[in-house]
């Protein structure tokens, strides 16, 4: 066991994959000597060279499209979109090309798009968004959204070895967090299997990415108060581990879903809908969503905090339910 | 060229007769670009196309029967009926298709070229697109990347005078598309796209340079779309006189005249060729129409690889 | 009363707005002499000229961005994105700029984006998508999705006079449909008010755009079988008329939501989640979604039909519920 | 210029001290572009900026106190604390801001110019962006549109040698950005961006032409970003020697030397100016820090207009 940051383990994972498979290469803005805006690729260019740790001009649309073409031709590109907000520029390439390659053309497109969503750093409305909503449910795309270093490493390996386009979310608040991990990198984790981060009988908290990290903390605090929360960390949104969700919902009868992005139209709605469709008669309470405000994320600290889902709401809702 | 023309004419007829549905864009009048380019390439080379791509695909060696079956939405089509006119690929012959988004395959072609460079395969990729597509942002981004990285890719723009109803003067601030090459410090050339030999020689020359590591080039083939943009285009944006004049410049007639003049082709051999092409297209239609429909149940397993 | 096509009434409405307000202008690809891919703007260039019925090159990103800039500077642009699939190219401009103008900068951005979603024409995977999911819930954007000519006219007037960016959906199967309408154009309709297209006691069908048109037909057929369906045509997705939805859900206790796009991650999930949050104890049945398959829309007729929501599923579910 | 420099230096200090949060990009070394351009414009003209926009905003006449308050996230800021460094506008002084997306305001500026043309206001819009932004597709699309429609907009690219860590030779296939003008058939010019007079004269000349209906131009101001890209940039991508050399070319020192040489400025008057600038920046910080925080409850009503 050792303690590493989320960033460090991602970097080690990328290095291992680059070593393992010569068709893997990295591409993105300022990922070379600069090491990426959040430092994930720092140092990799020294070992793997500028051909495989490829800096690009500021051209998100083309860099995504180039990666898609290279992937279909036989490479396994792992691209970095510096902030998830910028992926808006590549929606056409991902939705109209990458997502169609297998279902329509019958081709494989082994492509990973790494990108950090999330607020909490005061970066403002165009550097803080959680935009998985743009891609969740687009048929043909997969989405991984780990909440800790070990899962991130395991899922990233799977993503790189998968023959489909995978959107890989690295919440920016997770980067500096330290986690206890094995000395060896974890084995790849199959997609579509949620992690039951904590078993519990009273209620279920469903979350992904940084909110799952938050959920574990909340559950620990609730446990101290005698409330026994089950925490389901989805790990991947597409495919979605519906079985685990439904089972937990039936077991506890009370489900809250956390989502950092704005509540309306978010992916939590999908999860809520599925749970209600399949576990309606077991629910003691309607499924509730604790999500971001329906407002762009402002830069001022106090305004930003008001727009992100509040930790206290989790506790408050749990207490309300169990009182 | 003749087979492409007949294929496209057949499609226009089949649409009118309601035997083919959906949409398609024919390349009547532009065949010399497709065939001239294909003639300049090697077996290892690659190609991407546009919404107006049947000609490119056939010139590259596609099976007309499977292409036709795709248009008919049959299981035997290149995309098993899932893709239709705009979405077919056949990597086995180095053909990487289009996706229905104007300009969408420009970065894709650049990526295929990046793969070739990374693996050192000596492959050159030809990226076809139209004058209209050259106004898409991704054109600019892709050419800059390809030039910066000296990728073996030829950007072949078919300047056929129109993007749908928008003539080049109304769509491009500088209608000399080849001049856009200067922005990227790469070679640009403009040729008569209705002259098979001019196209072939221009592509061959730049393909050799690109293969030798000199990076991309932007080649403009000036041609004319004799057909409407797509089914149901009343062509209100141009005059019938303009069209008649353009028909005088039909690339097939020009090639035929040339070959006859230099004795390569006789009236007889021309007829034989034409009959053979007819037969292939007829056979393609027969094959397509007698092919089974795809099974909707098969979709279930096809979403992911 | 007279009978007009959806297309015709949209055209008359655009003409009336162009006449009413000199700051209104139209912009898009081939909207001038060609009259637009679906003929909506046909003939308008003759009356209003090429400055106000402005053809653009194929540059969706810039044409959207230009419209945003012009809107903030004082114009009221109405742009056309030829097929909704192409709006993927303008996601950055809409999400990162248009949607932020009022909440972040405190400016107005009176912009309308007209675009046709929808399949059923065999146009294939990149010309058939219903992509409202990309924008529904992006804070700062409004979405109108009329199901008939009169509503379309009324909502388009509102959209043009609104000081916020409005995405205006014109389903391509509606264009050729004929509707009975008043001789005069209808008055503008405020956003956020659903139309109860049919009152009923047994169950509620919620839909928008072309699916609402379908829902009315299904309800009529169900009525003939003795099943009394209420049909709610949302008219606008953002803002959403939650009150009407909840009231109906409480009244009938059975709600199905129709959506043309793929089921997973669609806006029907949001509606389902809201209904369950606010009417849980009134529901006799879990809210159900009848939606498109989680597959890109293939071009072959039979495959396409298999990917679009089936009319018969509406009837079947209603019968199942009421048996 | 001096005030801009002091404003930016203050911001770097305030970040280090943790008094300002979030992010900001300072324009130290590029002040002559902002001030030279602003000096060439008229009151009715408009401007858009980039993520590195404080200098442009101040040069255009922004109130440094309200700009600083925005950085501090206060109610008195230009965007009432909602926007931060990259998202401020003040249409009253013809300033239309940026949005944090590199290249994002290029079509916006083009739209402001379209409005000017439609209303015949005689307004010229200056669109600032960086060498890195010129690789975005929307640059290409916007310049084509502006050229096609002869819009009164000047595209002023600040070629400061880097886009984050990416030097222009690693980002642009042709580093002479002004040469991209040829692709659109518009005038292109390259000037020494650290020479206040060169910038001013070049912008004035092209603004006059643009105002007279001659359409857009692409003006490249060659300069150098003396500061890091943003907070926490260790500048591993360039040498300290390169930076020292660039400091020798500091546009403020150059202007000061010039003005002293021709007698316009004395040591005394320079000191007076500098003290005044210092006082304004200090006052801006005082104003910002003593301003109230925005009220989160106010967001509720602000989503829609
Ligand atoms: C992004 C996008 N915008 C618009 C269209 C609609 N469209 C299809 S083809 C076409 C014209 C393309 O013109 P050009 O590139 O010159 O090719 P040509 O049709 O002349 O072969 C247009 C506007 C599209 N398919 N994709
Ligand atoms: C779409 C997008 N991609 C990347 C970034 C991150 N980013 C911010 S500034 C910058 C460099 C911009 O370079 P340039 O245009 O030359 O401006 P400069 O920073 O030199 O002033 C980058 C990559 C961004 N904000 N938006
Ligand atoms: Mg064309
Ligand atoms: Mg720069």
């Amino acid at each position: 066991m050792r303690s590493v940051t989320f960033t460090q383990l991602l970097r080690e994972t990328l290095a291992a994959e680059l070593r393992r498979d010569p068709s893997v290469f990295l591409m993105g803005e300022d990922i070379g000597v600069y090491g990426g805006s959040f430092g994930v690729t720092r140092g990799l260019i020294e070992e793997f060279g500028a051909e495989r740790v490829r800096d690009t001009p500021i051209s998100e649309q083309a860099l995504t499209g180039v990666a898609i073409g290279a992937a279909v031709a036989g490479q396994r590109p792992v691209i970095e979109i510096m902030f998830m907000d910028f992926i808006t520029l590549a929606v056409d390439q991902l939705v109209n090309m990458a997502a169609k390659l297998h279902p329509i053309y019958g081709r494989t497109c082994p492509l990973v798009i790494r990108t950090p969503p999330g607020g909490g750093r005061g970066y403002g409305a165009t550097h803080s968004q959680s935009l998985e909503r743009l891609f969740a449910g687009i048929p043909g795309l997969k989405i991984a959204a780990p909440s800790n270093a070990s899962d991130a490493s395991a899922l990233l390996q799977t993503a790189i070895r998968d023959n489909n386009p995978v959107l890989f979310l690295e919440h920016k608040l997770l980067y500096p967090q330290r986690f206890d991990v094995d000395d060896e990198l974890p084995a790849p984790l199959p997609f579509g299997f949620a992690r039951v981060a904590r078993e519990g009988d009273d209620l279920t908290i469903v979350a992904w990415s940084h909110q799952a990290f938050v959920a574990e903390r909340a559950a620990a605090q609730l446990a101290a108060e005698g409330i026994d929360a089950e925490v389901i960390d989805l790990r991947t949104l597409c495919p979605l581990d519906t079985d685990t969700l439904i089972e937990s919902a039936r077991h506890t009868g009370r489900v809250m879903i956390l989502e950092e992005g704005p509540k309306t139209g978010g992916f939590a709605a999908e999860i809520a809908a599925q749970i209600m469709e399949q576990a309606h008669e077991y629910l003691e309470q309607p499924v509730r969503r604790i999500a971001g405000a329906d407002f762009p994320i402002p830069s001022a600290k106090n305004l930003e905090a008001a727009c992100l889902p509040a930790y206290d709401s989790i506790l408050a809702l749990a207490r309300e339910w169990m009182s | 060229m003749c087979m492409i023309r007949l294929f496209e004419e057949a499609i226009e007829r089949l649409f009118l007769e309601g035997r083919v549905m959906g949409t398609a864009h024919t390349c009547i009048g532009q065949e010399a670009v497709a065939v001239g380019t294909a003639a300049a390439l090697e077996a290892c080379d690659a190609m991407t196309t546009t919404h107006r791509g049947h000609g490119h695909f056939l010139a590259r060696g596609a099976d007309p029967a499977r292409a036709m079956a795709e248009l008919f939405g049959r299981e035997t089509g290149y995309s098993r009926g899932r893709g239709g006119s705009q979405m077919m690929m056949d990597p086995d012959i180095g053909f990487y298709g289009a996706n229905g988004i104007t300009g969408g395959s420009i970065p894709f072609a650049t990526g295929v070229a990046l793969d070739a460079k990374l693996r050192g395969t000596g492959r050159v990729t030809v990226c076809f697109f139209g004058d209209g597509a050259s106004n898409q942002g991704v054109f600019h981004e892709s050419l800059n990347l390809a030039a910066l990285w000296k990728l073996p890719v030829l950007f072949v723009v078919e300047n056929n005078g129109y993007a749908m109803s928008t003539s080049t003067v109304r769509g491009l601030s500088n209608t000399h598309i080849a001049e856009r090459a200067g922005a990227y410090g790469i070679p640009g050339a403009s040729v008569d796209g209705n002259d098979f030999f001019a196209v072939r020689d221009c592509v061959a020359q730049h393909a050799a340079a690109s293969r030798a590591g000199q990076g991309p080039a932007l080649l403009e083939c000036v041609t004319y779309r004799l057909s409407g943009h797509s089914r149901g285009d009343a062509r209100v944006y141009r005059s019938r006189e303009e069209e008649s004049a353009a028909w005088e410049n039909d690339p097939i007639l020009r090639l035929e005249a040339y070959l006859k003049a230099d004795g390569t082709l006789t009236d007889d051999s021309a007829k034989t060729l034409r009959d053979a092409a007819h037969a292939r297209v007829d056979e393609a239609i027969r094959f397509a129409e007698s092919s089974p429909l795809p099974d909707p149940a098969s979709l279930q397993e096809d979403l992911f690889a």
Side-chain angles (χ1 to χ4, degrees), chain A, chain B:
Chain A
M1 283 298 241
R2 58 190 176 125
S3 161
V4 294
T5 61
F6 192 81
T7 303
Q8 169 68 18
L9 208 65
L10 282 175
R11 186 186 303 131
E12 290 179 20
T13 307
L14 290 172
E17 291 296 300
L18 283 163
R19 264 177 231 122
R20 187 186 58 79
D21 182 346
S23 64
V24 173
F25 73 93
L26 315 185
M27 186 159 67
E29 294 161 16
D30 304 287
I31 65 167
V33 284
Y34 197 84
S37 215
F38 293 91
V40 175
T41 55
R42 195 164 293 153
L44 296 182
I45 195 170
E46 272 109 64
E47 176 172 353
F48 302 101
E51 290 270 288
R52 296 185 71 202
V53 182
R54 185 174 285 268
D55 272 334
T56 73
I58 309 173
S59 304
E60 283 80 5
Q61 202 182 343
L63 95 83
T64 305
V66 164
I68 294 169
V72 174
Q75 301 287 328
R76 294 192 168 272
V78 179
I79 64 173
E80 175 175 303
I81 300 288
M82 196 185 284
F83 283 72
M84 189 171 202
D85 314 72
F86 313 158
I87 207 169
T88 50
L89 290 158
V91 173
D92 166 56
Q93 288 295 327
L94 293 173
V95 170
N96 286 324
M97 189 83 247
K100 309 304 192 234
L101 277 159
H102 196 262
I104 299 294
Y105 302 87
R107 306 294 151 198
T108 57
C109 180
L111 165 68
V112 179
I113 307 103
R114 298 178 38 245
T115 193
R121 299 283 302 261
Y123 289 159
T126 55
H127 284 67
S128 306
Q129 294 166 97
S130 293
L131 292 173
E132 50 270 41
R133 64 204 297 126
L134 297 180
F135 303 102
I138 296 287
L141 299 180
K142 297 187 178 182
I143 306 181
S147 72
N148 62 69
S150 179
D151 280 3
S153 172
L155 294 169
L156 182 54
Q157 294 171 53
T158 309
I160 293 174
R161 300 170 195 196
D162 197 293
N163 280 328
N164 302 283
V166 179
L167 186 62
F168 191 87
L169 306 185
E170 306 170 357
H171 194 289
K172 50 178 89 69
L173 293 187
L174 291 175
Y175 282 133
Q177 297 292 342
R178 294 199 152 268
F179 295 89
D180 290 330
V181 300
D182 286 341
D183 291 337
E184 306 276 279
L185 288 180
L189 264 175
F191 280 9
F193 293 89
R195 180 176 65 99
V196 181
R198 186 180 189 288
E199 297 198 346
D201 294 326
D202 291 340
L203 57 92
T204 303
I205 308 178
V206 179
W208 63 91
S209 188
H210 183 251
Q211 287 298 313
F213 180 83
V214 170
E216 287 193 67
R217 189 153 60 88
Q221 185 167 343
L222 288 170
E225 298 178 19
I227 297 178
D228 190 20
E230 180 145 303
V231 176
I232 298 186
D233 174 356
L234 291 176
R235 280 182 175 150
T236 58
L237 299 185
C238 310
L240 181 66
D241 184 355
T242 314
D243 291 349
T244 300
L245 284 172
I246 301 304
E247 199 183 305
S248 179
R250 290 184 177 176
H251 176 64
T252 66
R254 296 179 194 86
V255 184
M256 67 172 96
I257 309 165
L258 314 186
E259 175 163 20
E260 183 172 320
K263 185 174 188 179
T264 303
F267 195 68
E270 174 64 34
I271 300 168
Q274 290 203 22
I275 291 175
M276 301 213 248
E277 276 158 11
Q278 296 176 56
H280 183 244
E281 60 279 32
Y282 298 84
L283 295 176
E284 313 249 348
Q285 294 283 344
V287 176
R288 290 279 292 274
R289 296 174 287 163
I290 293 180
D294 286 321
F295 202 89
I297 298 183
S299 57
K301 223 174 159 167
N302 67 331
L303 297 181
E304 180 181 44
C307 288
L308 296 172
Y311 178 73
D312 285 347
S313 318
I314 307 172
L315 307 179
L317 179 57
R319 290 178 193 136
E320 180 195 314
W321 275 348
M322 303 316 297
S323 70
Chain B
M1 261 162 87
C2 185
M3 202 258 283
I4 295 174
R5 173 70 55 92
L6 293 168
F7 187 94
E8 298 292 60
E9 286 175 351
I11 285 170
E12 297 202 335
R13 208 173 52 241
L14 291 162
F15 264 109
L16 278 179
E17 296 169 6
R19 287 156 76 193
V20 169
M21 312 303 255
T23 187
H25 308 81
T26 59
C27 67
I28 295 172
Q30 305 178 208
E31 296 88 347
V33 179
V35 179
T37 300
L41 297 183
E42 303 194 358
C44 69
D45 291 339
M47 208 182 251
T48 65
T49 183
T50 69
H51 57 289
R52 200 178 301 290
H54 310 151
H56 305 141
F57 197 18
L58 294 173
R60 182 63 190 171
D63 177 354
R66 291 185 61 201
M68 189 63 86
E70 187 58 34
L71 279 148
F72 272 85
R74 301 304 162 110
E75 180 69 21
T76 52
Y78 272 104
S79 303
R80 300 173 61 210
R82 289 146 171 71
S85 166
Q86 310 187 65
M87 299 176 91
M88 301 187 232
M89 280 194 189
D90 187 1
D92 289 346
I93 57 169
F95 191 83
Y96 288 95
N99 75 350
I101 301 299
T102 302
S105 46
I106 306 179
F108 192 101
T110 309
V112 172
L114 175 58
D115 166 69
K117 173 143 188 179
L118 285 171
R119 289 195 289 148
T121 57
R123 161 187 266 187
V124 169
T125 299
V126 165
C127 174
F128 285 113
F129 55 95
D131 45 283
S134 78
N135 295 324
Q136 286 285 33
V138 80
F139 159 90
H140 173 69
E141 296 185 4
S142 302
L143 267 76
N144 184 49
L145 281 180
L148 199 58
W149 298 341
K150 287 205 174 303
L151 300 182
V153 51
L154 301 182
F155 298 101
V156 178
V157 52
E158 290 189 78
N159 183 347
N160 63 0
Y162 294 89
M164 216 150 162
S165 73
T166 308
S167 62
T168 48
V169 280
R170 292 180 51 250
L172 286 92
S173 48
N174 176 353
T175 55
H176 302 287
I177 306 180
E179 290 183 11
R180 289 189 172 177
Y184 314 104
I186 60 174
S190 186
V191 295
D192 178 349
N194 283 18
D195 179 343
F196 165 83
F197 299 105
V199 172
R200 187 195 60 188
D201 296 347
C202 177
V203 173
Q205 176 200 332
H206 287 94
S210 206
R211 210 184 300 284
Q214 290 181 36
L218 175 61
L219 312 179
E220 175 185 10
C221 297
V222 180
T223 179
Y224 192 89
R225 157 166 66 69
L226 291 172
S227 41
H229 168 71
S230 63
R231 188 162 67 103
D233 173 4
R235 313 192 311 287
V236 292
Y237 47 85
R238 66 190 191 190
S239 68
R240 296 300 79 84
E241 293 70 46
E242 177 184 313
E243 293 180 353
S244 315
W247 275 103
E248 300 289 308
N249 192 26
D250 181 339
I252 299 187
L253 296 183
R254 277 177 63 183
L255 181 61
E256 192 174 332
Y258 180 95
L259 294 177
K260 280 187 180 159
D262 89 345
T264 320
L265 201 72
T266 64
D267 281 354
D268 269 4
S269 62
K271 183 169 180 324
T272 312
L273 280 173
R274 194 161 272 135
D275 288 347
H278 250 303
R280 281 195 80 187
V281 172
D282 287 347
E283 170 50 30
I285 297 172
R286 250 194 313 279
F287 173 81
E289 231 160 3
S290 63
S291 287
L293 291 174
D295 177 4
S298 70
L299 297 180
Q300 225 110 67
E301 292 99 63
D302 288 350
L303 184 56
F304 289 114

